[in-house]
Amino acid sequence: MGLVDQRVGSIYVELHCHSNFSFYDGASHVHELLTRAADLGYHAVALTDHDNLCGAMEFAQLAQSLGIQPITGAEVTLKDGYHITLLAKDRQGYGNLCQLLSASRLTTDRRHPELDPKLIEEHSEGLILLTGCRQGEVSSLVSEGKCDRAAATLYRYLDLFGRDNVYVELQQNLVLGDTARVKGLVLLANQMELFNISALTWDPPAGVHDIEALVFDGAGRLVTRTEATIIERDSGWNIGLTLEQSDEATEVSVLIHRSNHQVLRD
């Protein structure tokens, strides 16, 4: 791997990642994911398969053998159809995650697990919540222009998990609706003084050298240091990385930043 890859790996932690245990959504075996993460120099990776921890033990054991810190999590489907992503901070969090995933299968068809949101309150200790993908409740409500309801949902999450354990997740995959949704989520996070985790599309290694330092502008688009352009890619990875201005195209900065972080505007 080149210098760019190593620098990305030194600051970047994948917090929303699916393996082949996320049927119809993930394709890579945990061995492939971790081997690639090691190649890129990652020091930690989260595995967040849909509604299960089937790969968690193998993932954790292999990650440790590679010198990578494993983070156990899951993308959980709620009864209302929305998704949330939960990460275990400690042993108690892991136990609560197991309880929630078990409950999601005991109360519904086990082939299509759905968690009753009411159960989260008694099993929220030790867990971090990411507001999730476009199917998250906050993201969906923002996309529909229902920002007051999105804020109410965020306040509910804050009551359940605590301010330090709730993060607004931004995913910019350059598909229809992403830009407007990201802009709305950034505004909402600003209003509530929350952290956000930004996501953008990163080229496979062969194309990394073409990427300059990037930031999101106020509309949720990607801009370079010298010109405002949307970087269009037909394929790539979803990664949670926010890039700031730099004199060198290979320099990158913070992964998680306060949502009022100053960004370039066109």
Side-chain angles (χ1 to χ4, degrees):
M1 295 298 101
L3 183 60
V4 173
D5 294 330
Q6 295 303 319
R7 290 185 177 181
V8 170
S10 68
I11 64 167
Y12 169 63
V13 177
E14 174 64 71
L15 298 178
H16 191 142
C17 179
H18 300 313
S19 75
N20 55 355
F21 286 107
S22 290
F23 306 113
Y24 302 112
D25 201 8
S28 299
H29 192 279
V30 293
H31 289 189
E32 296 171 307
L33 291 173
L34 287 168
T35 300
R36 186 66 184 136
D39 288 342
L40 292 170
Y42 292 0
H43 62 85
V45 181
L47 183 66
T48 56
D49 281 317
H50 282 288
D51 303 303
N52 76 81
L53 296 174
C54 295
M57 181 61 71
E58 187 174 12
F59 174 80
Q61 291 174 339
L62 180 59
Q64 289 174 343
S65 73
L66 294 173
I68 297 173
Q69 179 186 347
I71 302 172
T72 301
E75 185 170 359
V76 181
T77 304
L78 304 177
K79 274 195 171 180
D80 50 20
Y82 293 124
H83 295 181
I84 56 173
T85 303
L86 299 177
L87 305 175
K89 291 199 300 183
D90 49 32
R91 185 179 294 272
Q92 183 179 14
Y94 176 76
N96 278 327
L97 182 59
C98 290
Q99 292 270 14
L100 291 172
L101 292 175
S102 296
S104 71
R105 293 179 182 275
L106 290 173
T107 57
T108 59
D109 182 344
R110 64 183 179 83
R111 295 169 297 180
H112 304 286
E114 293 181 337
L115 178 67
D116 186 341
K118 296 178 182 178
L119 298 176
I120 295 175
E121 182 174 3
E122 56 190 282
H123 297 293
S124 61
E125 288 295 322
L127 290 172
I128 291 174
L129 177 136
L130 311 183
T131 55
C133 63
R134 73 184 69 180
Q135 290 178 269
E137 183 173 3
V138 174
S139 296
S140 296
L141 290 171
V142 166
S143 293
E144 296 167 6
K146 301 174 181 177
C147 293
D148 288 343
R149 288 181 56 187
T153 299
L154 264 181
Y155 279 121
R156 186 172 76 247
Y157 290 157
L158 292 174
D159 288 340
L160 290 172
F161 295 91
R163 177 168 289 271
D164 292 337
N165 298 315
V166 175
Y167 296 85
V168 175
E169 186 172 358
L170 312 178
Q171 293 191 2
Q172 173 59 281
N173 299 315
L174 302 175
V175 298
L176 184 64
D178 278 359
T179 297
R181 182 179 66 253
V182 167
K183 181 179 180 181
L185 287 169
V186 169
L187 291 174
L188 182 61
N190 279 335
Q191 292 168 4
M192 299 183 68
E193 298 183 345
L194 290 176
F195 284 91
N196 63 58
I197 298 175
S198 299
L200 60 108
T201 300
W202 185 269
D203 266 358
V208 167
H209 66 277
D210 293 326
I211 301 296
E212 293 184 329
L214 307 173
V215 294
F216 285 112
D217 70 9
R221 293 171 294 187
L222 299 179
V223 299
T224 69
R225 180 175 180 273
T226 56
E227 59 181 343
T229 57
I230 295 179
I231 308 300
E232 295 182 340
R233 302 299 184 204
D234 293 328
S235 62
W237 299 340
N238 243 356
I239 68 172
L241 184 66
T242 301
L243 302 173
E244 292 182 323
Q245 295 187 60
S246 170
D247 292 331
E248 298 182 33
T250 55
E251 285 288 335
V252 295
S253 63
V254 294
L255 164 65
I256 300 174
H257 63 92
R258 288 200 177 275
S259 56
N260 61 357
H261 173 73
Q262 186 173 356
V263 295
L264 296 179
R265 296 179 182 274
D266 56 9

